Amino acid sequence: MPSVFTGVLSAKIFQVKKYYIHKETPKLTVDYNKDLNPDQYAAVMHQNGPALVLAGAGTGKTRVVTYRVSRLIESNIRAENILLLTFTNKAAKEMMRRVELLIGRNISGLFGGTFHHVANLLLRQHYLLAGYRQGFSILDREDSKELFEACISDITKKETVLPKGTVFAEICSLSKNTGVSISDVILRRFPHFVSALDNIEKIAALYEKKKLLLNLMDFDDLLLCWKKIFEENEKIREYYSLKFKYILVDEYQDTNRLQADIIDLSTGGEKNLMVVGDDAQSIYSFRGADFENILRFPDKHNDTVIYKLTTNYRSTPEILNLANNIISNNVRQFSKELISVSAHGELPGIVPLNNVFEQAEFVSSVIMDMNTDGLSFNEIAVLYRSHYQSMELQMEFQRRGIPFEVRSGLKFFEQAHIKDILSFLRVVVNPYDEISWKRILKLIPGIGNITAGKLWNYIQSKTAPLDSISEAGRIIPKKAMSGFTLLLDMLKDLRDEKYLSSPSGAVDHVLRHGYEDYLYSRYPNAEMRIEDIEQMTKFALKYDSLEIFLNDLTLQGVTDTETEEAEDFDGKVILSTVHQAKGLEWEAVFIIGLNDNKFPSIKSLKNGGEEEERRLFYVGATRAKKILYLCYTVTSDDWSMIGFIRPSRFIKELPKDCFEEIIVEEV
């Protein structure tokens, strides 16, 4: 029987058979030409070198990334030689699942996920080069907050205006991700803490020291260490640039400076880097995203090929015409014009309304009519620039029984800061309100559940609690005395007739006498919470009784059982800021509050952010498939101010032929 080799061993004579592998040119099983439009096909078939894919709203960005990965693998590129960076692990998993369905094989070797996920995988191999020990732990947001709180206690024992752990984490995170010093972050974003800058820098330094000692990393450290290792170790960087022969980055317009640096360091000599995004949808500078990353990509990467996806599969030609006109007013951009494949529809409507209450009535009435005509509630969204702009609308929806879901946060009167403010007022109207008493007592540093319980037992035993509460000083811990004294002074003020007959003044008094400082110290988004309270102050101007005001708000906050039944049957109308609506779509969209200094916001205008605000308006408009209403008010929602207010400059820029004006009249 013949063997693979035969011969006389002593003479060391062998016969060797050879087997030749016939390497064939890979045959693509996916019909890319059929599945993709010409713009998508060109991007997917890009050969080597850097590429920038500008994917307009609704043009199939995810499809391009998915088919690009598929095409690379079908072209004999190993899955483990591809790096796919996304902003959520869910997006990466979904893309890889689609690729496997397309090509019919497993691609588990592909490196895909968020920047932080990939960084963790790399650092588990190279932790020593980052100055860490084996088995380092990753701090989540809550852990990071607690470590900051411990550092605050170590640095300062005296009472001082300092941010709490959550705000500290936000300050330091912005500094790391944008490459800006902590002092600059404080000056630009948190000026309330300028006087405490020395202590803040000491606490931040101690936080970094403790993490190293305890072998801990927070989320930002993952990226910083990835960058550090690649910058300081040329051989490591070269190894991974050879391993990751092809890099794809999704939503590139949302990258910050640190992420952009990591991408550049990870790209090999051939620079097979494809980034996908849309400069017209760059709206997250408040999170540290850097618009310059996508704008200057071709300058940083020589021979970049730019692909523009402009065929829109979402919106009618009329909506896209308006959207194209919105964004055309921006100077700094890659110009492109979206083209619809949908049938013609209605012109977008621009609706001037007398005030925010008429705005709420109009939106509610039209939504009810739409639903009667067969459009499900869950196919409708109301978008706005800031969360506080939804207050009157939520109240009108409650009154009419329209089911709704708030995506921009909790329902207005369920928010902690609103409940806090109302609790101060409720104990004045009803001194035996246990829940409100305990809530405001626990806002005082040094008072927890046990002390609050003891104080409540004292309060409920008195016939005149508001007159007797000052005598409870023996129950108060020493460190809580200054806060307790402030509370007593505030409650004394609120009992004055000028506040009992002016709910608006009462709300403002609570905000300006201690609660504003409390918000700044505890919440990174303190200014948004203050806006909510200020909106409630304006709403309260139509009341001349604190008791009636509180009763009305309580009744408005109760959800009707009929509304609950409707939710199960026909979904819910979505209420959302434009920021949180990005990437989503609805049959009908209302954008409300389109007034200058509201949309665009006055804060953004002061900081030179007009073009980003216009991009935000563009994002809002392109969420609509068939119906779009743009609403603004002509008189102020502040009852103390009489006069007209201007519609948004973005509306005034629009050509008359791309919308129809809708005049609202009472019948």
Side-chain angles (χ1 to χ4, degrees):
M1 185 174 180
S3 65
V4 175
F5 58 88
T6 59
V8 181
L9 290 176
S10 59
K12 292 186 172 63
I13 298 172
F14 297 93
Q15 286 183 336
V16 180
K17 284 188 175 182
K18 292 184 179 179
Y19 184 84
Y20 294 94
I21 297 174
H22 299 281
K23 200 167 184 179
E24 297 180 357
T25 303
K27 185 178 180 180
L28 303 181
T29 59
V30 179
D31 192 340
Y32 297 92
N33 215 356
K34 178 184 175 184
D35 293 354
L36 304 168
N37 69 37
D39 293 338
Q40 294 170 338
Y41 181 82
V44 167
M45 292 297 165
H46 174 78
Q47 293 302 311
N48 294 324
L52 170 59
V53 180
L54 297 167
T59 59
K61 170 184 66 66
T62 301
R63 191 175 187 83
V64 166
V65 176
T66 301
Y67 275 74
R68 171 69 174 170
V69 174
S70 169
R71 208 273 296 177
L72 289 174
I73 292 174
E74 286 203 312
S75 301
N76 281 342
I77 304 299
R78 294 177 179 273
E80 56 265 32
N81 294 139
I82 300 172
L83 172 62
L84 172 61
L85 291 168
T86 62
F87 275 82
T88 65
N89 284 315
K90 181 181 177 182
K93 288 175 182 176
E94 176 60 19
M95 288 178 185
M96 290 190 281
R97 186 188 70 82
R98 292 190 193 183
V99 171
E100 290 179 341
L101 287 174
L102 273 175
I103 63 177
R105 75 177 89 153
N106 183 281
I107 59 164
S108 58
L110 187 146
F111 266 64
T114 64
F115 284 84
H116 298 92
H117 172 73
V118 174
N120 181 48
L121 295 177
L122 295 176
L123 291 170
R124 293 297 168 185
Q125 305 298 317
H126 307 293
Y127 50 86
L128 289 175
L129 296 175
Y132 282 80
R133 304 184 297 280
Q134 187 173 11
F136 65 83
S137 299
I138 300 173
L139 295 167
D140 62 20
R141 298 296 182 193
E142 187 63 26
D143 295 333
S144 182
K145 183 197 84 170
E146 289 181 7
L147 186 57
F148 268 117
E149 296 285 0
C151 294
I152 292 168
S153 298
D154 288 349
I155 290 292
T156 177
K157 304 295 182 185
K158 62 181 180 179
E159 282 194 28
T160 181
V161 179
L162 278 173
K164 297 299 180 184
T166 303
V167 182
F168 244 117
E170 180 78 5
I171 291 168
C172 293
S173 181
L174 277 171
S175 173
K176 292 174 181 177
N177 284 287
T178 59
V180 174
S181 68
I182 286 177
S183 60
D184 282 345
V185 171
I186 295 290
L187 288 169
R188 296 178 193 177
R189 301 284 289 273
F190 300 88
H192 196 74
F193 298 114
V194 168
S195 61
L197 184 56
D198 287 345
N199 272 334
I200 288 172
E201 289 178 331
K202 289 177 185 176
I203 291 163
L206 180 60
Y207 173 75
E208 298 301 324
K209 183 179 178 181
K210 281 197 173 190
K211 280 187 299 177
L212 273 175
L213 287 172
L214 300 171
N215 208 29
L216 300 171
M217 286 191 196
D218 60 27
F219 290 149
D220 300 315
D221 294 327
L222 292 170
L223 302 191
L224 281 172
C225 290
W226 182 354
K227 180 182 176 182
K228 171 186 169 70
I229 289 170
F230 275 28
E231 280 183 331
E232 298 177 358
N233 300 274
E234 186 177 350
K235 289 185 178 180
I236 297 289
R237 185 174 71 250
E238 287 178 355
Y239 169 79
Y240 282 104
S241 68
L242 290 171
K243 176 177 176 59
F244 300 140
K245 292 179 180 177
Y246 290 86
I247 300 176
L248 291 91
V249 186
D250 189 26
E251 301 285 12
Y252 188 71
Q253 79 281 347
D254 294 336
T255 54
N256 58 43
R257 179 175 172 181
L258 177 56
Q259 290 163 332
D261 288 346
I262 287 170
I263 293 165
D264 294 343
L265 286 166
S266 303
T267 304
E270 295 181 14
K271 292 202 170 183
N272 292 324
L273 169 64
M274 176 177 281
V275 300
V276 184
D278 184 9
D279 60 299
Q281 297 186 75
S282 178
I283 59 174
Y284 294 121
S285 64
F286 69 96
R287 293 182 187 168
D290 191 344
F291 176 66
E292 299 296 329
N293 288 346
I294 192 166
L295 200 65
R296 293 182 178 173
F297 185 86
D299 299 329
K300 287 172 63 179
H301 300 274
N302 294 331
D303 303 319
T304 294
V305 180
I306 299 177
Y307 300 94
K308 295 182 180 181
L309 308 184
T310 57
T311 303
N312 177 283
Y313 296 93
R314 175 187 299 154
S315 306
T316 62
E318 289 75 14
I319 290 172
L320 289 188
N321 181 39
L322 181 133
N324 288 331
N325 276 289
I326 291 171
I327 204 64
S328 67
N329 290 287
N330 271 5
V331 175
R332 304 186 72 235
Q333 64 168 311
F334 293 105
S335 60
K336 57 185 176 298
E337 192 162 302
L338 298 183
I339 302 165
S340 176
V341 297
S342 302
H344 283 278
E346 304 172 10
L347 280 171
I350 289 185
V351 192
L353 296 143
N354 284 326
N355 51 50
V356 290
F357 302 103
E358 187 175 86
Q359 179 177 255
E361 290 171 1
F362 168 76
V363 172
S364 301
S365 296
V366 175
I367 287 174
M368 293 292 283
D369 290 343
M370 287 176 174
N371 186 248
T372 300
D373 291 339
L375 187 61
S376 299
F377 285 125
N378 59 12
E379 285 292 347
I380 305 169
V382 185
L383 308 181
Y384 33 83
R385 174 63 179 83
S386 301
H387 181 58
Y388 76 85
Q389 293 175 299
S390 70
M391 187 186 83
E392 294 81 9
L393 192 65
Q394 290 186 41
M395 296 179 74
E396 187 65 19
F397 278 10
Q398 293 279 22
R399 190 178 72 80
R400 294 185 183 230
I402 297 174
F404 65 96
E405 176 185 341
V406 183
R407 294 273 179 86
S408 52
L410 294 170
K411 291 183 177 180
F412 194 85
F413 295 106
E414 293 175 357
Q415 298 175 106
H417 50 290
I418 298 297
K419 294 176 82 169
D420 288 347
I421 292 285
L422 294 179
S423 292
F424 284 101
L425 307 184
R426 284 188 173 122
V427 298
V428 172
V429 172
N430 174 17
Y432 295 98
D433 184 335
E434 178 183 0
I435 294 173
S436 294
W437 267 116
K438 287 183 174 178
R439 187 176 190 95
I440 63 175
L441 288 168
K442 286 190 288 186
L443 293 176
I444 300 171
I447 294 183
N449 288 325
I450 294 174
T451 304
K454 290 178 180 178
L455 282 165
W456 166 245
N457 290 334
Y458 179 86
I459 290 165
Q460 68 174 337
S461 68
K462 301 299 179 181
T463 54
L466 290 172
D467 293 326
S468 307
I469 183 67
S470 60
E471 300 167 9
R474 58 185 174 77
I475 303 174
I476 306 299
K478 186 177 180 180
K479 61 181 177 180
M481 276 307 299
S482 62
F484 184 66
T485 302
L486 185 65
L487 172 64
L488 294 180
D489 291 343
M490 183 186 293
L491 293 178
K492 181 181 178 182
D493 291 343
L494 291 174
R495 295 172 69 190
D496 191 288
E497 180 59 32
K498 72 176 180 179
Y499 292 124
L500 293 175
S501 59
S502 173
S504 178
V507 172
D508 187 68
H509 187 73
V510 175
L511 175 63
R512 307 303 174 192
H513 289 75
Y515 193 71
E516 188 174 21
D517 289 338
Y518 170 85
L519 290 175
Y520 275 118
S521 69
R522 281 161 177 78
Y523 299 110
N525 63 344
E527 289 182 353
M528 292 172 60
R529 293 171 186 261
I530 292 168
E531 282 181 339
D532 288 341
I533 296 167
E534 288 173 340
Q535 188 67 11
M536 185 167 66
T537 304
K538 295 171 185 176
F539 177 78
L541 281 164
K542 62 180 181 176
Y543 291 89
D544 57 12
S545 164
L546 187 57
E547 185 174 358
I548 293 173
F549 170 69
L550 291 171
N551 289 341
D552 273 10
L553 292 192
T554 302
L555 292 172
Q556 289 283 3
V558 175
T559 303
D560 202 317
T561 53
E562 291 180 9
T563 303
E564 294 292 339
E565 292 172 7
E567 289 173 2
D568 294 335
F569 177 71
D570 207 15
K572 305 175 186 178
V573 177
I574 299 301
L575 305 186
S576 174
T577 60
V578 179
H579 282 107
Q580 287 172 303
K582 184 176 173 289
L584 304 175
E585 58 184 41
W586 295 271
E587 291 289 310
V589 169
F590 298 79
I591 304 179
I592 63 172
L594 281 163
N595 289 90
D596 249 16
N597 296 334
K598 292 188 175 182
F599 199 159
S601 79
I602 189 168
K603 181 181 176 183
S604 293
L605 292 176
K606 286 179 179 177
N607 293 326
E610 181 175 313
E611 291 212 345
E612 180 164 335
E613 290 288 298
R614 192 177 285 108
R615 293 195 293 270
L616 191 61
F617 183 33
Y618 170 84
V619 168
T622 53
R623 299 310 94 198
K625 295 181 183 179
K626 295 180 179 177
I627 301 169
L628 176 63
Y629 287 101
L630 309 175
C631 304
Y632 67 92
T633 58
V634 296
T635 58
S636 172
D637 55 355
D638 187 337
W639 287 57
S640 65
M641 294 173 60
I642 300 173
F644 296 100
I645 54 177
R646 294 190 303 272
S648 171
R649 64 192 65 189
F650 302 151
I651 286 180
K652 295 168 76 174
E653 291 170 350
L654 294 171
K656 299 290 185 184
D657 62 355
C658 71
F659 63 86
E660 61 179 350
E661 188 168 5
I662 298 172
I663 304 301
V664 176
E665 295 180 351
E666 290 187 10
V667 292

